[in-house]
Amino acid sequence: MRSPLVPLAAALAVLAALIAPSPVVAAQATPEPLTREHLLTLEDHVVVYPDMRDPLRTVMRSPVFAPRGCEDQGIAVRGSSAIEGSVSPDGRPRSVALVDQNLVRFGSVRKARALVQRYRDFSKRCVGDVDTDDGEGGDVHLKNRAWLPPLVGDESAGMLIGWFQSGVADWRRVLVVRTGRTVSVLDVSFTDVRPPMRGVLALGRLAVERLG
């Protein structure tokens, strides 16, 4: 005679399988934290900008300050994990002055795509000149220019901003690249001239390789 405990045990095993969390869901709920190994290295920067003099790299835990509407520096975005790397070379006229890279990892692709869209909206809707101040009483003239970069990673966006004050011009080209649930925001500053697209795109592609 067949024991009634056998079908009961089988039913319990099926029930346990149904209520157990899916490995995919568990992985999405606890994304891997970002570390300095995910950031571009100093060597990456020098490869792209070989004329850098005495570059200094710092790494910190910091959110990215993404656009809020037509403000180029808006609300802080932290996601599930965030890290920043900043490279400061010995500045010279008409050359790279600063490269900031912020990485933000989200719990879902939807949230990561929403961050990229904020930069895309800025370039589509916020083009023009703005007279403002530097927060310390000095007059500043901003030139917001559209930049819709070619595809890098899963999707990309960008913006171009000129800061003019006391006869000095600083230009920033921002490249935002999404790889899965992680977004890399590269902010490259040049003195006197607009940062050439080629170098910024090269850094963006290297950033994708680091995240891959």
Side-chain angles (χ1 to χ4, degrees):
M1 180 176 177
R2 195 162 130 191
S3 170
L5 294 178
V6 174
L8 177 60
L12 290 175
V14 171
L15 179 61
L18 289 174
I19 65 175
S22 166
V24 174
V25 173
Q28 290 181 349
T30 55
E32 176 190 358
L34 293 164
T35 68
R36 62 189 304 127
E37 282 71 31
H38 294 102
L39 290 165
L40 291 168
T41 65
L42 187 56
E43 290 73 21
D44 291 331
H45 289 80
V46 173
V47 165
V48 175
Y49 298 112
D51 59 341
M52 275 188 172
R53 291 194 311 201
D54 300 323
L56 174 66
R57 179 176 181 255
T58 57
V59 176
M60 64 200 80
R61 292 285 173 183
S62 176
V64 59
F65 290 87
R68 178 173 48 190
C70 287
E71 298 177 29
D72 70 313
Q73 291 288 318
I75 193 168
V77 179
R78 299 179 184 276
S80 302
S81 179
I83 195 168
E84 178 186 1
S86 182
V87 174
S88 307
D90 182 11
R92 292 177 292 167
R94 306 179 69 83
S95 66
V96 61
L98 180 68
V99 181
D100 284 331
Q101 182 192 20
N102 284 85
L103 295 179
V104 185
R105 179 161 287 166
F106 295 91
S108 69
V109 171
R110 179 183 60 82
K111 291 181 179 180
R113 296 188 69 178
L115 178 57
V116 179
Q117 187 62 45
R118 287 166 66 170
Y119 289 90
R120 189 175 293 124
D121 288 344
F122 187 91
S123 266
K124 288 182 175 180
R125 303 175 184 175
C126 306
V127 173
D129 291 7
V130 179
D131 288 316
T132 183
D133 66 82
D134 60 5
E136 299 179 354
D139 294 332
V140 175
H141 184 70
L142 289 180
K143 292 186 177 183
N144 297 332
R145 298 294 181 261
W147 184 39
L148 303 175
L151 179 64
V152 181
D154 294 330
E155 63 176 329
S156 51
M159 60 186 192
L160 178 64
I161 299 174
W163 173 289
F164 296 79
Q165 184 178 29
S166 303
V168 177
D170 291 303
W171 283 94
R172 296 168 46 214
R173 191 179 294 276
V174 180
L175 176 64
V176 185
V177 176
R178 181 180 67 82
T179 304
R181 291 176 290 160
T182 304
V183 178
S184 168
V185 181
L186 279 165
D187 193 334
V188 182
S189 298
F190 265 59
T191 55
D192 296 335
V193 295
R194 300 183 182 192
M197 290 185 288
R198 180 180 298 178
V200 182
L201 291 171
L203 282 182
R205 295 185 183 103
L206 288 173
V208 170
E209 292 179 11
R210 291 279 172 192
L211 292 170

